[in-house]
Amino acid sequence: MPVPWFLLSLALGRSPMVLSLEKLMGPQDTARCSPGLSCHLWDGDVLCLPGSIVSAPGPVLVPTRLQTELVLRCHQETDCDLCVRVAIHLAVHGHWEEPKDEDRSGRATDLELEEPRNAFLQAQVVLSFQAYPTARCVLLEVQVPAALVQPGHSVGSVVFDCFEAALGAEVRLWSYTQPRYQKELNLTQQLPDCKGLEVQDSIQSCWALPWLSVSADGDDVHLVLDVSEEQHFGLSLYWNQTGPRNITLNHTDLFPCLCIQVWPLEPDSVRTSLCPFKEDPRAHRNLWRAARLRLLSPQGWQLNAPCLLLAEATLCWQAPGGGPCLSLVPPLSRENVTVNKTLELPLLNAHPNLCVQVSSWEKLQLQECLWADSLGALKDDMLLLETRGPQDNRSLCALEPSGCTPLLSQASTRAARLGEQLLQDLQSGQCLQLWEDDLRALWACPMDKYVHQRWALVWLACLLLASALFLLFLVKKNQVKAVARGRATLLVYSAEDSGFERLVGALASALCQLPLRVAVDLWSRRELSAQGPLAWFHAQRRQTLQEGGVVVLLFSPGAVALCHEWLQDGASASAPHGPHDAFAASLSCVLPDFLQGRAPGRYVGAYFEGLLHSEAVPALFRSVPVFSLPSQLPDFLRTLQGPGTLRPGRLGERAKRVSRALQPTLDQLLQPPRDPGDPEDGTRVGT
């Protein structure tokens, strides 16, 4: 049975299977057409001279698609060669020309229109074939009755049998008409070798071929050759790469592009190639261990690796003292990074804090601060982002772990405190411009002089005294304000499913009645979509903590799994799982607070009984109170509202109200799924 060629890619994939091919007896080429068409194959090959494109005088036949199929051309039952069958699909291009002289009699016009409709539309179609060392061109004449012609529609196809080619060869096909009315069609295909086809008994060159398989046993990889005892064969390991390359191979090295080739030691023998490690996880781990980032010039860099990599690169800013590398505005190409090729960085000046991150499948694989060797250690510089608007208006903000802080703001960050001084430094030319485009620019401003000024003891004492008095005033003011308005509370959870989101919504609604000022992403989907989960969470967290509020981490099986991924693989091991998943985005700044001991008093944990056991909460988060809901609701509410805000009696009443609001949704979520064989709702079994 004929086998469409596109199935061969399935046969030669991860789980190869063997395919049988149709056999054609005899050496002669043939052509056949679909019903309604007539065709003729010219004897012998013709010269391949496409010529230039000309305008169609009217409706013409043109090739629109090439389709290939593998067959066997046999001289005897066991003496066959691989052959490529080609189907050329044809369509009509152009329209019939209508009479221009409207003054002719109606009879004359009818005759002129009738004549082309009763004729045949004819085309000479050239089919060109190349497969080293063979090159052929054949000519097919095709006719279709004009009555069947519909401009722009397919009229059928013509099939040519066939072009002989060697096993494993790369073949190229072209098709066009004479004269040529459009760009020629082309198609390139890689033929399989003996291993992918059921041809061992039909093609003599496959009879004595050594058959190769690969198996894994723990860390050991075995190559199994099926050959006769008296047969001599050659075996080589090679890199499936292009271009000259010096290779030193250790027998323990496995890489995705490591291939094996085997062949009998006979003249003109067929070689079988196998690349068995393309999907091997160990080979991909070895590949990333061997990959290196290298600086070639102030604006040039290169990713060196022994194989091709599917990866993306981004620029980031690494501050001294650790912490995550902040992604920067200057975009690198979103296309895959080309290995061993010099790439340009869109920078005006270099800086030791500028780094390149390389990620694959949203997981960080490499990070290198390329200028650290040439420019020295990381500097304590402030990175400023300038945004330019119409009429020479511009705004400046400082890139910090908490976000981009406006210079002239009331935020309690270093950039906000030194906003005016940084603005003066920028205007006086003390900052280094790293990058710019029409709307934005990046500047690095040194902070050393501000650090050195802290030795002034008198000024420091006065500042501390004034800060203490001002802080005391703010604390008293915020306490009064918190009692009147309710304490700010930010709920953070992992979006498991719609049922869990309803449970979180019920809890948020109940807390609002206490009263508490509750923020949750369920009620801010428009802002979340516009800003992104990471930016939204940073803004909400900063506002909540500045107002003396608390961040509530609602643990669920999905949230626990995300925490384990981050704790095991690093902060960039996971990306947000959805456009509204604020929990995955929150881990980038929540984890540093817990790791550095800043979490107590700012965070509270909770989980719902029946959905999660207390032991499942990661140990890192148990440095803050973790409550089981709804059984520990009184203690949970007392922690949220702060000590001394409510009498025990009123606190118990409010805990009961919250429990009544949660219980129906929690019961529905814990209800096991109904067996399809159970009676339908609303019926009873028995009496």
Side-chain angles (χ1 to χ4, degrees):
M1 175 177 116
V3 179
W5 197 342
F6 73 88
L7 290 178
L8 293 178
S9 62
L10 300 178
L12 302 177
R14 185 179 299 179
S15 301
M17 58 183 178
V18 180
L19 298 179
S20 60
L21 301 180
E22 177 185 0
K23 292 184 177 180
L24 304 178
M25 305 304 296
Q28 68 277 7
D29 296 336
T30 60
R32 64 182 186 275
C33 303
S34 56
L37 276 68
S38 61
C39 55
H40 169 70
L41 175 64
W42 279 36
D43 295 334
D45 290 356
V46 298
L47 292 177
C48 299
L49 298 174
S52 58
I53 298 177
V54 299
S55 300
V60 293
L61 287 177
V62 293
T64 59
R65 184 164 61 95
L66 295 176
Q67 190 173 3
T68 56
E69 182 181 330
L70 290 183
V71 295
L72 293 176
R73 170 168 284 172
C74 301
H75 309 286
Q76 297 179 3
E77 186 66 25
T78 58
D79 184 12
C80 303
D81 294 305
L82 195 62
C83 210
V84 180
R85 171 184 288 165
V86 184
I88 309 171
H89 296 264
L90 303 170
V92 178
H93 175 71
H95 300 272
W96 297 106
E97 293 185 359
E98 300 295 338
K100 297 181 180 180
D101 189 0
E102 299 179 357
D103 295 334
R104 296 181 182 178
S105 65
R107 177 62 179 166
T109 301
D110 293 341
L111 290 174
E112 291 176 2
L113 291 175
E114 183 179 356
E115 181 178 355
R117 300 311 198 262
N118 295 331
F120 282 88
L121 200 59
Q122 179 174 315
Q124 291 186 337
V125 181
V126 177
L127 184 58
S128 175
F129 172 86
Q130 288 186 6
Y132 181 81
T134 304
R136 294 187 58 192
C137 276
V138 298
L139 181 64
L140 303 102
E141 286 189 352
V142 185
Q143 287 186 341
V144 59
L148 301 180
V149 171
Q150 295 185 16
H153 288 72
S154 175
V155 297
S157 61
V158 56
V159 179
F160 172 77
D161 282 327
C162 56
F163 294 116
E164 294 184 14
L167 288 161
E170 181 182 81
V171 300
R172 298 181 179 182
L173 296 164
W174 290 269
S175 182
Y176 52 88
T177 58
Q178 287 185 342
R180 188 159 63 98
Y181 302 113
Q182 64 180 19
K183 185 178 180 180
E184 63 269 17
L185 296 179
N186 64 83
L187 179 66
T188 301
Q189 295 280 6
Q190 183 73 40
L191 300 186
D193 55 20
C194 297
K195 193 175 185 298
L197 301 170
E198 192 177 308
V199 295
Q200 190 173 7
D201 297 331
S202 302
I203 299 180
Q204 296 181 2
S205 59
C206 295
W207 291 358
L209 187 68
W211 294 92
L212 174 69
S213 62
V214 178
S215 63
D217 182 12
D219 293 334
D220 298 327
V221 177
H222 303 284
L223 306 180
V224 182
L225 287 174
D226 183 10
V227 296
S228 60
E229 293 183 359
E230 66 277 2
Q231 185 179 10
H232 298 278
F233 62 89
L235 176 69
S236 70
L237 303 180
Y238 68 97
W239 295 109
N240 186 18
Q241 293 282 73
T242 58
R245 188 178 300 275
N246 295 325
I247 298 174
T248 301
L249 179 64
N250 192 324
H251 71 282
T252 60
D253 291 337
L254 293 181
F255 292 101
C257 58
L258 178 63
C259 298
I260 306 163
Q261 192 176 80
V262 62
W263 68 97
L265 296 180
E266 300 173 359
D268 300 326
S269 59
V270 176
R271 298 194 175 200
T272 297
S273 297
L274 182 64
C275 302
F277 309 113
K278 289 182 178 179
E279 306 297 333
D280 194 314
R282 297 168 299 175
H284 284 273
R285 287 195 296 268
N286 290 341
L287 176 58
W288 280 111
R289 292 192 188 105
R292 294 292 182 270
L293 288 171
R294 188 160 61 99
L295 181 67
L296 300 180
S297 64
Q299 279 77 33
W301 67 285
Q302 193 176 88
L303 174 62
N304 297 131
C307 306
L308 295 179
L309 287 169
L310 294 177
E312 292 182 349
T314 55
L315 274 176
C316 64
W317 177 268
Q318 181 64 63
C325 197
L326 301 177
S327 297
L328 296 185
V329 176
L332 297 182
S333 174
R334 298 303 297 174
E335 300 176 356
N336 287 330
V337 178
T338 304
V339 175
N340 303 323
K341 178 183 177 182
T342 301
L343 304 172
E344 295 296 324
L345 293 168
L347 298 173
L348 298 176
N349 292 286
H351 194 281
N353 295 32
L354 287 173
C355 305
V356 175
Q357 289 182 334
V358 178
S359 303
S360 177
W361 302 106
E362 299 184 350
K363 180 177 181 180
L364 179 63
Q365 301 287 359
L366 290 174
Q367 176 179 315
E368 291 288 344
C369 298
L370 300 178
W371 294 273
D373 293 337
S374 58
L375 299 181
L378 300 178
K379 296 182 178 180
D380 189 21
D381 290 358
M382 184 65 67
L383 192 63
L384 303 183
L385 174 61
E386 176 185 356
T387 303
R388 298 162 182 167
Q391 299 179 354
D392 295 332
N393 292 330
R394 68 174 185 171
S395 60
L396 288 165
C397 65
L399 290 176
E400 298 182 291
S402 59
C404 201
T405 306
L407 289 188
L408 303 179
S409 69
Q410 300 300 321
S412 58
T413 65
R414 183 172 66 159
R417 291 193 299 269
L418 301 174
E420 294 184 0
Q421 294 92 322
L422 290 172
L423 186 58
Q424 293 175 2
D425 292 345
L426 180 63
Q427 294 172 347
S428 61
Q430 299 182 40
C431 299
L432 177 68
Q433 187 175 22
L434 303 178
W435 167 84
E436 72 169 344
D437 63 7
D438 295 337
L439 300 177
R440 295 165 298 180
L442 275 178
W443 302 84
C445 298
M447 301 290 290
D448 295 341
K449 60 181 179 180
Y450 301 111
V451 176
H452 297 327
Q453 291 175 355
R454 296 178 183 176
W455 62 268
L457 298 179
V458 177
W459 168 249
L460 181 60
C462 295
L463 182 61
L464 289 175
L465 180 59
S467 299
L469 294 175
F470 183 70
L471 181 61
L472 182 61
F473 172 77
L474 288 180
V475 169
K476 294 295 184 181
K477 182 178 180 181
N478 287 338
Q479 287 180 350
V480 175
K481 198 179 288 187
V483 173
R485 299 172 54 207
R487 192 180 186 190
T489 304
L490 174 61
L491 298 184
V492 185
Y493 69 99
S494 177
E496 304 272 323
D497 51 34
S498 58
F500 190 76
E501 286 190 338
R502 289 196 300 270
L503 183 60
V504 174
L507 176 62
S509 300
L511 294 180
C512 287
Q513 305 299 321
L514 294 185
L516 288 171
R517 290 184 292 114
V518 179
V520 64
D521 62 357
L522 282 172
W523 300 342
S524 306
R525 285 293 166 82
R526 180 175 298 178
E527 297 176 12
L528 196 66
S529 299
Q531 300 176 15
L534 185 60
W536 182 87
F537 174 79
H538 278 307
Q540 294 295 327
R541 169 184 169 275
R542 183 170 62 248
Q543 180 179 351
T544 300
L545 296 181
Q546 286 176 354
E547 295 177 358
V550 63
V551 179
V552 179
L553 303 178
L554 292 177
F555 290 99
S556 62
V560 170
L562 277 174
C563 293
H564 285 305
E565 290 182 19
W566 280 70
L567 293 172
Q568 293 174 2
D569 298 333
S572 56
S574 298
H577 287 199
H580 302 136
D581 196 349
F583 188 90
S586 69
L587 292 178
S588 63
C589 61
V590 169
L591 285 177
D593 286 345
F594 279 85
L595 292 172
Q596 298 173 15
R598 300 194 304 263
R602 308 168 77 182
Y603 293 84
V604 169
Y607 61 91
F608 294 100
E609 297 166 0
L611 298 182
L612 193 72
H613 294 288
S614 60
E615 295 82 5
V617 178
L620 176 65
F621 297 95
R622 297 177 190 170
S623 60
V624 301
V626 179
F627 299 99
S628 175
L629 304 182
S631 63
Q632 295 181 343
L633 267 173
D635 294 335
F636 177 67
L637 298 181
R638 183 182 297 108
T639 302
L640 294 187
Q641 293 187 308
T645 56
L646 286 176
R647 296 190 302 272
R650 295 194 60 189
L651 184 63
E653 294 175 1
R654 293 186 176 183
K656 291 180 181 179
R657 290 208 305 266
V658 175
S659 179
R660 286 195 297 269
L662 289 179
Q663 201 63 49
T665 307
L666 183 59
D667 292 342
Q668 185 179 7
L669 194 60
L670 294 176
Q671 183 179 3
R674 185 172 60 87
D675 193 325
D678 290 345
E680 296 184 357
D681 295 339
T683 64
R684 291 181 176 269
V685 179
T687 57

